[in-house]
Amino acid sequence: MATIGIYAHHHGSGHIQRCREIQQALTRRGHRAVILSTAPSGDVLLADDAGHGHHGRAMTAGGTLHYAPYGNAGLRDRFATIATWIADNAPDAFYVDVSVEVGVFIRLMGVPVIAHAMPGLRDDAPHQLGYAQADALIAAWPDWVPVPEHLAAHADRLHAVGGISRLTPLKGIERDPHHVVVMAGQGGSTWEPEDWEAVERACPEYTFTFLTGDNRVDDPTELLQRAGVVVTAGGQNSIADIAVTGAPAILLPQPRPFIEQKRNAKTLADAGLAVVPDTFPPAEQWPALLAEAAALGADWSRWQTEGAADRAAAVIEEVALDPSASAIVLVTLADANRAGHLTHQVNLKPEGTDHITVALADADILRKAVPKSHVVALPGDGRNLAAARNLAAATAIERGAEILIFLDADCVASGDLVTHYVRALAEYPDAVVAGPVTYMKEGELRTVRPDPHPARPNPAPGELVRADDYNLFWSLSFAMTAGTWRRIERDFGGFDTAYSGYGGEDTDFAWQLREHGIELYWVGGAHAFHQWHPVSSPPWEHLDDILANAATFHEKWGQWPMEGWLRAFEEAGAITLADGTWQRR
């Protein structure tokens, strides 16, 4: 049994109702779930933090949070209560619906967080922080709804579970086509009584029931099932309640932070599930609007309310029972010529990762240069890059690696590289994945502002694109699970050690992946940054290696690799194609 905390935001009634449904689903699964909220119906009551008297930077901590005013006693008290509850109960996970500050605070206490993903426009820094730090995101809409742009970077952890409602349909209820139910949530509305008085006068053939203000009822199920049309705002819970009861609907979205109701209503209008006027319509338009809604014939089963709370509970349960992260190891190859670049890679690597360097030569020098890396020496003359990569992978797995990230010694990882690789491999654990590489200028060193080399794909952050052209594989930055490496060793032995020196072995590896049905994916956002060093183009210092390795590749595959370099050497008069082989002139 897991112990799970639930934080329910207190504005309106929707958050606490949704949390209560999820709590009951978790209880049915045998877990202990406790709701902490400022709402009086919460299991653990939190202090109210309203009232602050601050603005701007003092309110938002320089734009990094939504609400962090100075000197707010209620804020201190509520976080103290949360901290005490966590210390006393040691929860296995915490579901937060919704608060960036609460989610980050709980995560800082070492508790896995599941965040509720909200609709609207939430591309601001605080929301992105809240979503990025969460182990999973729960969205209370159906799985066919397009992922909002503000959640695209987190789509791999987004679980659209369907609309969550506390209502249970009743049997034997017939719909009255002349009965209109007007329902407003506790978050308030811009509707005025005189607006509805004018509507009633314009629609004498209809009877209106108003579930607003003091007229709200604890259980509106029967009223919603009898209604010929339900008029409501665009809140998530109201939409879910309409979906459960199958009522024809008119939505009048209310002004809410981050335009969430307006975005909700547009989704339903685009799907043909509800009539959505732009503003509160004039009274004379209401007869036609009511007739339009009644004739819409919306299939509300598409909102996927049945079992939604249980699907949300399953997401929370999975995080609570298995929050451990995979052991991640970065591996590279280097010699003393690259010691300076290597120190940057090691000292800028993301926390929580191990690092292995295979010394092509100069192992003792590298051990002193990068004491935070596990340095192993490659036997022999150090010229076999294929053997070095195989040794790197074997050493990483011996040290417990579950995910292997191969980086060229000249590359440094962006802050998001590991995260995006891990997420990509969670979705495609049997694939090899590769990210974009930015080439930096002389004297430049950074891990932000990517400007990837145009010769390789550069998907949007979080987007995964299956590769069609394996020739684009680049050994500068790629990753795989330990299981995939073991398969590679079994199927074709890893990188082919018949290649020696520079060139060809990475293209051969990519062709082997293709030959053995191992998928290659381009990973958006997994940026690496290549440090400047002198180069020649074509690489004259590697001419003999390239000729030998090109011949090895041609004998094996029947085609020439590195054709751009070979043609450049030919045009310079250095080599010629004679008797089916490239030879020095």
Side-chain angles (χ1 to χ4, degrees):
M1 179 184 77
T3 296
I4 297 165
I6 298 176
Y7 173 80
H9 188 55
H10 60 279
H11 185 73
S13 60
H15 299 286
I16 189 84
Q17 289 176 359
R18 182 163 54 217
C19 286
R20 192 66 73 186
E21 292 300 308
I22 294 173
Q23 179 191 42
Q24 292 170 3
L26 287 167
T27 300
R28 291 193 295 270
R29 289 172 170 266
H31 305 299
R32 173 176 174 256
V34 179
I35 296 177
L36 291 76
S37 180
T38 306
S41 57
D43 302 326
V44 175
L45 188 62
L46 301 177
D48 192 347
D49 62 357
H52 44 79
H54 295 106
H55 304 279
R57 183 177 181 84
M59 171 67 74
T60 66
T64 61
L65 299 171
H66 287 139
Y67 187 80
Y70 299 135
N72 186 312
L75 195 64
R76 289 195 299 269
D77 290 347
R78 68 193 282 108
F79 280 116
T81 301
I82 293 171
T84 299
W85 188 86
I86 289 174
D88 292 343
N89 293 272
D92 299 284
F94 222 108
Y95 170 59
V96 177
D97 182 0
V98 292
S99 167
V100 170
E101 292 76 18
V102 170
V104 172
F105 179 78
I106 291 169
R107 182 63 187 86
L108 285 170
M109 293 194 71
V111 179
V113 169
I114 304 93
H116 186 83
M118 293 290 285
L121 181 62
R122 299 175 190 268
D123 54 5
D124 56 287
H127 271 115
Q128 292 305 301
L129 170 63
Y131 294 144
Q133 59 86 39
D135 284 76
L137 305 174
I138 291 173
W141 57 70
D143 56 16
W144 52 262
V145 172
V147 175
E149 185 177 355
H150 68 274
L151 292 170
H154 319 288
D156 60 301
R157 292 167 292 124
L158 181 66
H159 302 267
V161 300
I164 300 175
S165 173
R166 63 193 173 96
L167 307 185
T168 302
L170 302 172
K171 295 181 179 180
I173 305 297
E174 293 186 7
R175 202 167 293 284
D176 180 354
H178 299 288
H179 183 204
V180 178
V181 172
V182 179
M183 182 171 64
Q186 292 185 9
S189 71
T190 58
W191 307 336
E192 299 294 341
E194 54 267 28
D195 295 331
W196 289 109
E197 290 169 4
V199 171
E200 286 188 276
R201 288 194 297 270
C203 305
E205 68 273 29
Y206 290 93
T207 301
F208 285 76
T209 298
F210 295 92
L211 303 180
T212 59
D214 295 335
N215 295 327
R216 293 187 181 88
V217 296
D218 291 334
D219 186 353
T221 305
E222 184 174 353
L223 284 168
L224 297 182
Q225 283 190 239
R226 286 195 188 282
V229 177
V230 174
V231 182
T232 188
Q236 288 188 291
N237 282 53
S238 295
I239 292 171
D241 290 348
I242 292 172
V244 166
T245 56
I250 296 173
L251 298 187
L252 300 175
Q254 297 300 294
R256 291 290 185 271
F258 307 102
I259 60 171
E260 65 179 65
Q261 289 202 5
K262 188 173 183 179
R263 289 292 178 92
N264 285 343
K266 185 178 186 307
T267 296
L268 268 68
D270 290 346
L273 292 175
V275 174
V276 182
D278 291 334
T279 59
F280 194 98
E284 63 272 15
Q285 294 182 10
W286 276 89
L289 281 173
L290 293 171
E292 181 184 356
L296 198 57
D299 177 10
W300 278 108
S301 67
R302 295 181 61 204
W303 206 245
Q304 299 172 357
T305 55
E306 186 175 352
D310 194 64
R311 288 190 288 274
V315 174
I316 298 168
E317 178 185 58
E318 182 176 1
V319 172
L321 296 182
D322 186 21
S324 59
S326 299
I328 303 162
V329 178
L330 276 63
V331 300
T332 196
L333 324 176
D335 58 22
N337 291 326
R338 288 288 182 263
H341 291 70
L342 180 62
T343 60
H344 294 152
Q345 180 182 112
V346 174
N347 293 317
L348 291 172
K349 74 179 180 68
E351 292 294 331
T353 58
D354 193 9
H355 193 281
I356 292 170
T357 301
V358 173
L360 302 172
D362 315 309
D364 290 339
I365 295 174
L366 294 181
R367 289 189 181 102
K368 291 179 181 179
V370 286
K372 294 181 180 179
S373 180
H374 178 72
V375 178
V376 294
L378 178 68
D381 62 6
R383 288 174 41 76
N384 198 304
L385 305 184
R389 291 197 182 95
N390 294 343
L391 176 59
T395 304
I397 292 174
E398 286 174 5
R399 291 171 63 84
E402 297 170 87
I403 291 178
L404 314 178
I405 298 177
F406 293 77
L407 278 183
D408 186 89
D410 299 324
C411 289
V412 293
S414 68
D416 294 330
L417 177 141
V418 170
T419 298
H420 283 295
Y421 272 159
V422 169
R423 292 174 181 171
L425 291 171
E427 187 165 352
Y428 297 106
D430 300 324
V432 172
V433 297
V437 177
T438 293
Y439 275 76
M440 294 183 284
K441 299 175 182 178
E442 185 175 3
E444 187 178 22
L445 184 63
R446 69 180 193 272
T447 61
V448 296
R449 304 189 311 279
D451 183 18
H453 193 289
R456 298 297 187 279
N458 178 31
E463 184 181 2
L464 303 177
V465 177
R466 184 176 175 180
D468 294 323
D469 186 357
Y470 278 63
N471 288 309
L472 296 178
F473 174 79
W474 226 354
S475 59
L476 293 180
S477 174
F478 64 100
M480 69 188 75
T481 64
T484 297
W485 180 261
R486 292 188 186 98
R487 175 187 169 185
I488 286 170
E489 281 190 313
R490 183 183 69 247
D491 288 357
F492 56 91
F495 284 84
D496 189 347
T497 57
Y499 298 89
S500 183
Y502 186 83
E505 85 289 342
D506 50 358
T507 304
D508 178 275
F509 181 77
W511 283 36
Q512 289 280 21
L513 295 178
R514 184 183 60 194
E515 184 76 9
H516 289 85
I518 298 175
E519 293 181 334
L520 175 65
Y521 280 87
W522 306 115
V523 183
H527 292 285
F529 291 78
H530 187 279
Q531 302 169 79
W532 182 90
H533 60 74
V535 296
S536 61
S537 182
W540 291 99
E541 66 274 24
H542 299 298
L543 174 56
D544 289 331
D545 288 345
I546 290 171
L547 289 177
N549 288 337
T552 298
F553 189 96
H554 187 270
E555 182 178 357
K556 184 174 181 178
W557 297 103
Q559 295 185 42
W560 292 107
M562 303 176 283
E563 285 189 297
W565 289 344
L566 294 172
R567 294 299 179 190
F569 290 135
E570 181 187 34
E571 290 172 5
I575 64 173
T576 186
L577 187 62
D579 299 325
T581 62
W582 286 102
Q583 303 172 15
R584 275 184 176 270
R585 282 188 169 179

